[in-house]
Amino acid sequence: MTVPVGSVGAERGRVRVLRGSSRGSPPRWAGSGTPWLYLAPALVVLAGLLAYPVYQLGLISLFHYTQAQVSGGEPTAFVGFGNYAELFGDEQFWQVLLATVVFAAACVAGTLAVGCALAVLLTRVRAVPRTALMLAALGAWATPAVTGSTVWLLLFDADFGPVNRMLGLGDHAWTYGRFSAFFLVLLEVVWCSFPFVMVTVYAGIRAVPTEVLEAASLDGASQWRIWRSVLAPMLRPILVVVTIQSVIWDFKVFTQIYVMTNGGGIAGQNLVLNVYAYQRAFASSQYSLGAAIGVVMLLILLAVTLVYLRLLRRQGEEL
């Protein structure tokens, strides 16, 4: 069997080209450090703004550090995990922790429900009402927490609030009861948090091909079925981001609780961990105990985030 000379020459030339390219190309490990060079400035800033304060927080939690140590009247004493032992032995801490978890879960559920529902609504209305809704939502999002909390207190005021008049509740005081006060704060937290979810999910919906949604509509799927079976699976990475952000924000709510319940409610019935830490650290001058509460909050948020991401990876989701 004879082989054409031209084909042999072509093969030899191709081999030379491949060898030359392999010789001239840099090794695979050569470019592995390039991403870290780009991330270095941001990592330096994060180390200064995040890592060092967290280190100081953990360090203070290991000492007996009160106003006497701050003023120099007494020396600082190393107590190890003594502050944590005192904290975990306090019955009020566990009550506040339970209230914080339940309250944060309700806020996250309400924020996601309102934000996702309005995001779908934005895709169904015309340009003018869509623009008006976006501007109103962004106005709520941009409102400072103190201002928003004060406005909600005026709306639900027992004497002059329009809500009691519209509902016929007379002089009902929303902030006196534990559950009614938590409910009032929940409404304010959802009001100032849902715009982030709405805008983010709306951007994700706009990126979904219209052919997919039209095909689902032609098959007779309802809007709820389209969201549950089509949009939600395609938007899962976005929903993961907004869920984690909402958990972090709502778990460490401080301003709304402090302003609307006057520092935690009557006899501390509306305390959450952030307000509880503030009272321990500054109202009682037990700075080390307040730092220990802060470390516990940090560990809880890290654990929730890592467990959530691990569950998603087990399901084969790419983030």
Side-chain angles (χ1 to χ4, degrees), residues 102-140:
V102 175
F103 176 74
C107 289
V108 171
T111 302
L112 292 177
V114 175
C116 292
L118 292 179
V120 175
L121 178 63
L122 287 175
T123 63
R124 299 293 175 180
V125 297
R126 296 182 180 273
V128 174
R130 180 169 61 247
T131 303
L133 179 57
M134 291 282 285
L135 291 176
L138 292 177

Side-chain angles (χ1 to χ4, degrees), residues 64-70 86 90 92 258 263 271 275-291 293:
H64 180 68
Y65 197 69
T66 62
Q67 186 62 40
Q69 284 74 32
V70 173
E86 179 182 353
D90 187 3
Q92 186 182 17
Y258 193 83
L271 282 176
V275 180
Y276 182 61
Y278 175 83
Q279 288 189 353
R280 286 292 185 144
F282 298 102
S284 302
S285 298
Q286 297 176 332
Y287 304 111
S288 54
L289 200 58
I293 299 174

Side-chain angles (χ1 to χ4, degrees), residues 202-258:
Y202 173 71
I205 294 176
R206 299 298 296 178
V208 175
T210 56
E211 295 80 4
V212 177
L213 302 178
E214 292 175 356
S217 299
L218 292 176
D219 289 340
S222 62
Q223 295 298 324
W224 168 247
R225 186 61 183 273
I226 291 175
W227 167 260
R228 187 184 64 180
S229 303
V230 180
L231 287 177
M234 298 182 71
L235 298 176
R236 187 164 296 178
I238 295 177
L239 294 177
V240 169
V241 173
V242 297
T243 301
I244 293 176
Q245 290 280 3
S246 298
V247 169
I248 294 173
W249 290 341
D250 296 339
F251 191 81
K252 60 185 185 65
V253 165
F254 174 82
T255 305
Q256 291 88 343
I257 289 286
Y258 193 83

Side-chain angles (χ1 to χ4, degrees), residues 2-315:
T2 60
V3 180
V5 178
S7 62
V8 175
E11 288 296 327
R12 290 178 178 175
R14 188 177 298 112
V15 171
R16 290 195 188 98
V17 171
L18 291 176
R19 287 179 178 175
S21 61
S22 62
R23 289 177 182 176
S25 59
R28 294 181 179 179
W29 54 265
S32 60
T34 302
W36 292 104
L37 293 177
Y38 290 107
L39 291 174
L43 293 177
V44 171
V45 174
L46 287 177
L49 297 179
L50 182 62
Y52 182 73
V54 170
Y55 164 75
Q56 287 292 334
L57 185 71
L59 185 63
I60 293 175
S61 68
L62 301 178
F63 288 84
H64 180 68
Y65 197 69
T66 62
Q67 186 62 40
Q69 284 74 32
V70 173
S71 60
E74 295 181 6
T76 303
F78 179 79
V79 296
F81 294 100
N83 290 316
Y84 295 95
E86 179 182 353
L87 185 65
F88 295 151
D90 187 3
E91 183 180 356
Q92 186 182 17
F93 167 76
W94 296 106
Q95 296 175 355
V96 173
L97 177 61
L98 177 61
T100 304
V101 172
V102 175
F103 176 74
C107 289
V108 171
T111 302
L112 292 177
V114 175
C116 292
L118 292 179
V120 175
L121 178 63
L122 287 175
T123 63
R124 299 293 175 180
V125 297
R126 296 182 180 273
V128 174
R130 180 169 61 247
T131 303
L133 179 57
M134 291 282 285
L135 291 176
L138 292 177
W141 193 15
T143 303
V146 175
T147 305
S149 301
T150 305
V151 170
W152 277 82
L153 281 178
L154 293 176
L155 291 175
F156 287 83
D157 185 74
D159 298 322
F160 308 103
V163 175
N164 282 358
R165 297 180 182 180
M166 294 175 58
L167 299 179
L169 297 178
D171 57 352
H172 175 70
W174 291 80
T175 57
Y176 282 1
R178 183 186 185 191
F179 297 104
S180 61
F182 269 128
F183 179 72
L184 182 59
V185 178
L186 182 145
L187 292 179
E188 202 280 334
V189 172
V190 172
W191 174 76
C192 66
S193 302
F194 83 87
F196 170 74
V197 178
M198 183 191 73
V199 173
T200 307
V201 175
Y202 173 71
I205 294 176
R206 299 298 296 178
V208 175
T210 56
E211 295 80 4
V212 177
L213 302 178
E214 292 175 356
S217 299
L218 292 176
D219 289 340
S222 62
Q223 295 298 324
W224 168 247
R225 186 61 183 273
I226 291 175
W227 167 260
R228 187 184 64 180
S229 303
V230 180
L231 287 177
M234 298 182 71
L235 298 176
R236 187 164 296 178
I238 295 177
L239 294 177
V240 169
V241 173
V242 297
T243 301
I244 293 176
Q245 290 280 3
S246 298
V247 169
I248 294 173
W249 290 341
D250 296 339
F251 191 81
K252 60 185 185 65
V253 165
F254 174 82
T255 305
Q256 291 88 343
I257 289 286
Y258 193 83
V259 173
M260 301 181 70
T261 64
N262 195 20
I266 300 175
Q269 63 181 1
N270 296 114
L271 282 176
V272 293
L273 280 180
N274 240 354
V275 180
Y276 182 61
Y278 175 83
Q279 288 189 353
R280 286 292 185 144
F282 298 102
S284 302
S285 298
Q286 297 176 332
Y287 304 111
S288 54
L289 200 58
I293 299 174
V295 172
V296 171
M297 291 181 59
L298 177 63
L299 295 178
I300 291 174
L301 290 176
L302 286 177
V304 170
T305 303
L306 293 177
V307 169
Y308 194 38
L309 293 178
R310 188 170 184 178
L311 291 175
L312 290 174
R313 287 198 171 190
R314 286 184 179 179
Q315 297 173 1

